[in-house]
Amino acid sequence: MWRIKKNLRLACEQRLPDGSFLSRIYASPKDRRHQRHAVPVRVIEYRLEGVEQSEPIYRLLTSILDPQQAPAQELAALYHERWEIETALDELKTHLRGAQIVLRSKTRSWSTRSSMD
């Protein structure tokens, strides 16, 4: 799941019971023009009511196409929880560690290992 710009135009192919809709994304404008190599996605649009300084509308894309498997409201809530965690981790790593302490993993990350193997 990832957030997209609110002005990105995505055609609604099918409206789903939870308010989300199915669409398609393309790797390039040429693919879009020729309607080829499309990736099916589900679009979730929502607002944060009563939250100061929030965006007027948020749009998320997910590859989970079944609203029974992951309802739109649940995904929207989880997305914002994720960013609360990311913000807290940034605070720890950047601001609270002090000038001399560097927080690093003792082992290489999986993505680094797989690219080096």
Side-chain angles (χ1 to χ4, degrees), residues 1-5 8-16 18-27 32 37-45 59-67 69-70 72 75:
M1 182 170 59
W2 64 99
R3 185 174 169 194
I4 60 169
K5 294 180 179 181
L8 181 64
R9 297 176 69 197
L10 294 169
C12 176
E13 294 183 5
Q14 180 184 353
R15 181 67 61 180
L16 300 172
D18 67 350
S20 63
F21 64 90
L22 299 179
S23 189
R24 296 181 185 276
I25 58 174
Y26 299 87
R32 177 183 284 283
H37 308 298
V39 176
V41 293
R42 188 163 136 226
V43 182
I44 300 166
E45 298 178 321
R59 295 177 81 199
L60 304 175
L61 287 187
T62 181
S63 58
I64 303 171
L65 304 179
D66 181 4
Q69 187 180 2
L75 289 177

Side-chain angles (χ1 to χ4, degrees), residues 7-105:
N7 62 353
L8 181 64
R9 297 176 69 197
L10 294 169
C12 176
E13 294 183 5
Q14 180 184 353
R15 181 67 61 180
L16 300 172
D18 67 350
S20 63
F21 64 90
L22 299 179
S23 189
R24 296 181 185 276
I25 58 174
Y26 299 87
S28 71
K30 185 176 181 181
D31 285 342
R32 177 183 284 283
R33 277 193 307 276
H34 291 67
Q35 301 274 313
R36 63 179 180 208
H37 308 298
V39 176
V41 293
R42 188 163 136 226
V43 182
I44 300 166
E45 298 178 321
Y46 63 98
R47 299 178 198 296
L48 293 177
E49 301 296 331
V51 177
E52 289 185 36
Q53 299 177 349
S54 67
E55 297 286 328
I57 190 165
Y58 291 88
R59 295 177 81 199
L60 304 175
L61 287 187
T62 181
S63 58
I64 303 171
L65 304 179
D66 181 4
Q68 298 275 345
Q69 187 180 2
Q73 188 173 3
E74 183 179 315
L75 289 177
L78 288 171
Y79 180 80
H80 281 282
E81 282 182 32
R82 172 193 168 206
W83 281 106
E84 286 180 24
I85 293 167
E86 291 285 337
T87 302
L89 288 175
D90 175 64
E91 184 72 23
L92 283 171
K93 291 193 289 187
T94 307
H95 305 290
L96 299 178
R97 65 179 170 84
Q100 303 302 317
I101 301 170
V102 176
L103 299 177
R104 295 222 168 119
S105 163

